[in-house]
Amino acid sequence: MLIVLAIVLLPYIKEMKKLLLLLICIYSYTFYAQNKKVTDTIFSNKLNEDREIIIGLPPSYDKHPNQKFPILVLLDGDFLFDPFQGALSYGNYWDDLPEVIIVGISQNKNNERELDCMVDETTGLPSEKGESFFEFIGMELLPYIQKNFRTAPFKMIAGLDTTAGFLNLYLYKDNPVFDAYISMSPELPNTMEENIPQRLAAIQKPLFYYHSSADGDVKKMRNRIIALDEVAKKINKETVNYRFDDFKGASHYSLVLNSIPSALYQIFSVYQPISTVEFNEKIATLSSGYVDYLIKKYDVIDKSFALKLPIRLNDFKAIEAAILKNKAYDEFDKLSQLARKNYPKSMLADYQMGQMYEKKGDNARAVKSYLSAFQREEIGDLTKEMMIERADELKKSLPKKGDKGKKEKEEPVVEETPPTETPTETTPVETTPTETTPTETPLGGKK
């Protein structure tokens, strides 16, 4: 009986296998598209060996073929890759952090990190394999990533304790290859707590520098980290974006999960949408130049991270609020031009012109702008219904088409008496009450 049942169901079982295989393929593709995590191996001439790397591409990498992305190099990539990718994915979901290409270097399968990070105890500089590993990153790994993927010029590097101390050595170069450094509880080579502040003060290119410790950190390491901070925090230089975190109740290892989001939010603070704090402290306090502030913000994003973003709708709304609060209505004209450039098919630009005319008392032009907005695409909370309601409300204050003719008709016409040899007395012309009674305008005023 079972054999007969199996024969009958065999064609269906085959189809179910195909369906199951299809579902597995779809799931695998979806998972890959979301995470884009690939393990690769490259041969290093500097190290004379193969090195394993983990590459994480942004979810939108294939969707936006012209977009370039910043690079984040992770030492200790074996265990730092996932927490960094998780933090970046979460921040990008809320549009607080950009997408980046993550490159993790495996260093813990055979305890490679100790040899990779060898430093001369006297000079504090890379030595033996450490020197080769230093060159491998700058001369082989980065060129490989830049050749095979769409990368922006902005480059970051991160590490923990031994690898964190090692990554600081790139600051010893006059023109460092990296733009941002995330040094979590670094085990500092000889004299580094003195050298790093000097280098931050001397380097001319813009730099982001983040380091951290905790009250549960290794004591001998913690003391030197705090000594570095005491000097570095006194650097007053616009091109140095510096931050030190000293976490309470954290250990040497748990401080990592505190440090990663803090560091990323420091580096990409300008990328984030305008927050309540930024609005109150930096925008609302300006006497003018609100639109210029917005333009500059996105110029900095472009120049710092090579990210060409359309200006967020919420940022338009923030500048709109600042204009209204400070009654700088003329700035709506410039904001409208910016809106037309970023959202050419939407009603945003015409809506802003309508606000300018309405606030300046030119209701006729305001109505025209709102009706023009009605003909364009809705965006955000701006709807066609809203545009019609605004236009209809303002129409009530406009003079009716026949009002001008009535006014002219009500004015008495004085006819001149033609000259005669003997002037005769003219009889006054009586006017009917309807012709002389003043009419009311829509506003209730008398004409």
Side-chain angles (χ1 to χ4, degrees):
M1 183 67 181
L2 291 174
I3 295 174
V4 173
L5 183 62
I7 293 172
V8 173
L9 294 178
L10 184 60
Y12 299 97
I13 293 173
K14 289 181 178 178
E15 292 302 320
M16 289 178 66
K17 281 185 176 180
K18 291 180 181 178
L19 179 60
L20 181 60
L21 181 60
L22 177 61
L23 290 173
I24 292 172
C25 290
I26 292 172
Y27 176 80
S28 299
Y29 175 79
T30 303
F31 182 83
Y32 174 78
Q34 290 176 344
N35 292 273
K36 296 281 188 179
K37 181 179 176 181
V38 181
T39 300
D40 194 5
T41 301
I42 65 172
F43 178 77
S44 168
N45 289 309
K46 297 293 182 181
L47 296 167
N48 194 31
E49 63 184 15
D50 289 325
R51 292 305 299 251
E52 182 182 274
I53 59 174
I54 311 160
I55 302 172
L57 296 181
S60 70
Y61 187 84
D62 294 330
K63 185 179 179 181
H64 301 292
N66 296 321
Q67 178 65 57
K68 296 181 178 181
F69 302 90
I71 303 172
L72 170 60
V73 174
L74 297 177
L75 308 183
D76 287 321
D78 319 65
F79 57 79
L80 288 182
F81 188 96
D82 287 340
F84 266 97
Q85 187 180 57
L88 284 163
S89 296
Y90 181 83
N92 182 254
Y93 180 86
W94 298 108
D95 200 22
D96 278 348
L97 300 174
E99 293 180 314
V100 306
I101 295 173
I102 308 175
V103 183
I105 305 175
S106 297
Q107 294 183 271
N108 290 275
K109 291 185 176 179
N110 298 302
N111 199 30
E112 298 97 331
R113 73 196 305 257
E114 296 299 327
L115 295 177
D116 287 344
C117 300
M118 288 184 66
V119 175
D120 187 281
E121 293 183 1
T122 304
T123 64
L125 298 175
S127 64
E128 300 182 34
K129 189 179 180 181
E131 185 175 0
S132 299
F133 184 70
F134 183 90
E135 293 177 347
F136 157 70
I137 293 174
M139 301 173 69
E140 294 180 325
L141 177 63
L142 286 176
Y144 175 82
I145 298 299
Q146 291 167 331
K147 179 182 179 181
N148 291 282
F149 303 98
R150 299 192 310 274
T151 61
F154 192 78
K155 297 180 287 295
M156 303 166 281
I157 188 168
L160 172 67
D161 53 54
T162 300
T163 59
F166 186 83
L167 67 83
N168 283 295
L169 294 170
Y170 287 98
L171 287 168
Y172 288 6
K173 295 284 187 178
D174 290 334
N175 186 26
V177 65
F178 293 101
D179 305 281
Y181 299 77
I182 303 175
S183 177
M184 297 177 288
S185 184
E187 185 176 359
L188 300 172
N190 187 35
T191 69
M192 185 170 276
E193 67 268 40
E194 301 167 3
N195 295 339
I196 292 302
Q198 294 175 5
R199 296 304 303 148
L200 292 175
I203 295 169
Q204 296 302 310
K205 68 180 289 186
L207 291 173
F208 295 84
Y209 188 85
Y210 175 90
H211 65 143
S212 60
S213 184
D215 53 9
D217 204 353
V218 180
K219 189 172 181 181
K220 65 176 183 178
M221 293 168 55
R222 173 177 167 78
N223 291 338
R224 296 183 64 198
I225 294 168
I226 292 175
L228 190 160
D229 174 61
E230 288 297 325
V231 181
K233 67 184 179 184
K234 297 176 183 178
I235 298 173
N236 185 15
K237 192 177 179 184
E238 288 186 0
T239 55
V240 176
N241 188 318
Y242 173 84
R243 180 181 177 90
F244 169 65
D245 278 332
D246 191 10
F247 298 106
K248 305 302 178 186
S251 69
H252 174 71
Y253 296 106
S254 66
L255 67 83
V256 171
L257 295 180
N258 293 283
S259 300
I260 290 173
S262 183
L264 292 173
Y265 272 78
Q266 174 215 356
I267 294 169
F268 293 113
S269 60
V270 71
Y271 173 89
Q272 297 160 31
I274 294 172
S275 64
T276 303
V277 174
E278 184 178 2
F279 178 83
N280 291 330
E281 295 182 358
K282 296 183 179 181
I283 300 174
T285 55
L286 296 172
S287 59
S288 62
Y290 308 104
V291 181
D292 289 337
Y293 179 95
L294 184 61
I295 293 171
K296 184 178 179 181
K297 177 182 176 73
Y298 280 81
D299 282 346
V300 171
I301 294 174
D302 183 10
K303 291 176 182 176
S304 298
F305 313 120
L307 296 173
K308 295 185 181 297
L309 306 175
I311 296 176
R312 300 175 181 92
L313 183 58
N314 282 342
D315 288 350
F316 272 108
K317 292 175 71 68
I319 300 304
E320 175 189 322
I323 291 173
L324 292 172
K325 181 178 181 180
N326 294 280
K327 300 180 180 180
Y329 305 132
D330 286 333
E331 290 213 23
F332 271 123
D333 191 356
K334 194 170 184 179
L335 189 63
S336 175
Q337 295 174 35
L338 204 59
R340 204 171 298 282
K341 179 180 178 182
N342 284 264
Y343 301 99
K345 295 182 180 180
S346 81
M347 58 177 61
L348 183 59
D350 290 312
Y351 164 73
Q352 287 164 347
M353 290 302 292
Q355 285 204 98
M356 182 185 77
Y357 290 131
E358 181 181 352
K359 293 299 180 181
K360 295 175 73 173
D362 191 343
N363 289 349
R365 289 189 178 182
V367 168
K368 186 177 180 181
S369 293
Y370 289 137
L371 291 178
S372 179
F374 171 80
Q375 300 175 38
R376 296 182 176 272
E377 294 179 1
E378 295 182 345
I379 183 171
D381 59 355
L382 302 181
T383 64
K384 292 180 180 291
E385 183 181 1
M386 180 194 299
M387 299 304 117
I388 286 295
E389 288 177 354
R390 288 209 174 208
D392 287 346
E393 186 64 29
L394 291 175
K395 281 180 182 179
K396 296 176 183 178
S397 66
L398 299 178
K400 295 180 179 179
K401 289 183 178 180
D403 286 352
K404 184 177 180 182
K406 287 181 181 179
K407 184 176 181 181
E408 292 175 352
K409 187 176 181 181
E410 290 161 7
E411 294 176 356
V413 179
V414 180
E415 296 183 0
E416 292 185 1
T417 304
T420 58
E421 293 181 358
T422 307
T424 59
E425 208 174 277
T426 59
T427 305
V429 179
E430 293 184 3
T431 57
T432 61
T434 54
E435 291 177 329
T436 57
T437 303
T439 58
E440 289 191 1
T441 67
L443 292 177
K446 301 292 184 179
K447 289 193 177 181

